[in-house]
């Protein structure tokens, strides 16, 4: 059974290789790059499709970070590395006024995975991001447990000393 659900309300931010954050207009068109998360556009997956789009990205390396998961789903622990690679014709081969005709290859790879073909006629690439349900367990260990182990060890040592002392006193 296919239990894939198109999730609405997943929120992401996109950075380029220069660590600049994307600004995108209401139609999904890239309008520029900014230095801070606060001024970046939050990309939100749509109610009906579970999709968000960014129009106007060049080929290059991008980082997609989930900043909020839909209710009931876990936020991604790590950012996603997205590599878009485009190959175009040389100027001497240009035979059309349509810019999409210039594309000869177009691929996208996620987190150093296998590159998948994009759609040459539209100049688009797509990736799928999975959010999972379930509880995330809190981290355990750390300094707090070390303190408990140390205090517990001292108490046990004190109990052993007290037991030996009482046996000696009671045995005389």
């Amino acid at each position: 059974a296919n239990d894939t659900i198109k999730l609405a309300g997943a929120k992401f931010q996109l950075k380029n290789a220069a660590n600049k954050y994307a600004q995108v207009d209401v139609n999904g068109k890239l309008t520029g790059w900014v230095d801070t998360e606060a001024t970046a556009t939050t990309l939100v997956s749509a109610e009906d499709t579970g999709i968000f789009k960014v129009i106007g990205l060049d080929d290059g390396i991008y980082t997609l970070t989930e900043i909020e998961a839909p209710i009931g789903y876990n936020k991604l622990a790590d950012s996603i590395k997205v590599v878009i690679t485009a190959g175009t014709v040389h100027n001497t081969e240009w035979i059309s006024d349509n810019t999409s005709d210039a594309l000869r290859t177009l691929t996208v790879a996620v987190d150093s995975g296998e590159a998948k073909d994009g759609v040459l006629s539209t100049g688009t690439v797509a990736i799928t991001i999975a959010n999972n349900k379930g509880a995330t367990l809190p981290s355990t260990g750390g300094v707090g447990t070390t303190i408990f182990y140390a205090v517990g060890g001292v108490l046990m040592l004190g109990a052993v000393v007290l037991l030996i002392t009482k046996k000696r006193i009671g045995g005389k």
Side-chain angles (χ1 to χ4, degrees):
N2 184 357
D3 59 352
T4 301
I5 299 170
K6 295 175 181 175
L7 291 178
K11 297 179 181 178
F12 292 85
Q13 287 186 331
L14 181 69
K15 286 195 305 187
N16 63 14
N19 278 329
K20 302 273 186 177
Y21 292 88
Q23 281 190 322
V24 179
D25 69 16
V26 295
N27 297 314
K29 185 174 181 185
L30 179 68
T31 58
W33 298 95
V34 295
D35 292 324
T36 64
E37 287 180 55
T39 56
T41 300
T42 298
L43 306 165
V44 183
S45 58
E47 286 289 328
D48 53 345
T49 62
I51 293 173
F52 65 84
K53 61 185 175 181
V54 180
I55 301 167
L57 293 175
D58 291 327
D59 63 342
I61 300 171
Y62 300 92
T63 304
L64 193 60
T65 304
E66 186 171 31
I67 57 174
E68 185 179 321
I71 295 170
Y73 289 83
N74 299 325
K75 186 175 87 164
L76 299 177
D78 298 314
S79 295
I80 299 168
K81 176 182 166 187
V82 179
V83 180
I84 300 172
T85 306
T88 58
V89 297
H90 298 293
N91 287 340
T92 56
E93 298 175 26
W94 190 257
I95 55 171
S96 170
D97 290 334
N98 187 355
T99 55
S100 66
D101 290 342
L103 277 176
R104 291 296 182 249
T105 61
L106 180 63
T107 62
V108 63
V110 177
D111 288 334
S112 301
E114 183 179 334
K116 299 189 190 272
D117 289 334
V119 180
L120 290 175
S121 61
T122 59
T124 58
V125 293
I127 64 171
T128 301
I129 301 165
N131 278 110
N132 296 311
K133 282 186 171 185
T136 54
L137 298 174
S139 62
T140 59
V143 176
T145 55
T146 304
I147 292 169
F148 284 118
Y149 290 140
V151 170
V154 169
L155 289 175
M156 286 185 60
L157 183 60
V160 169
V161 169
L162 186 60
L163 181 65
I164 292 172
T165 306
K166 281 189 173 189
K167 277 191 175 189
R168 284 188 182 167
I169 294 172
K172 288 187 177 178

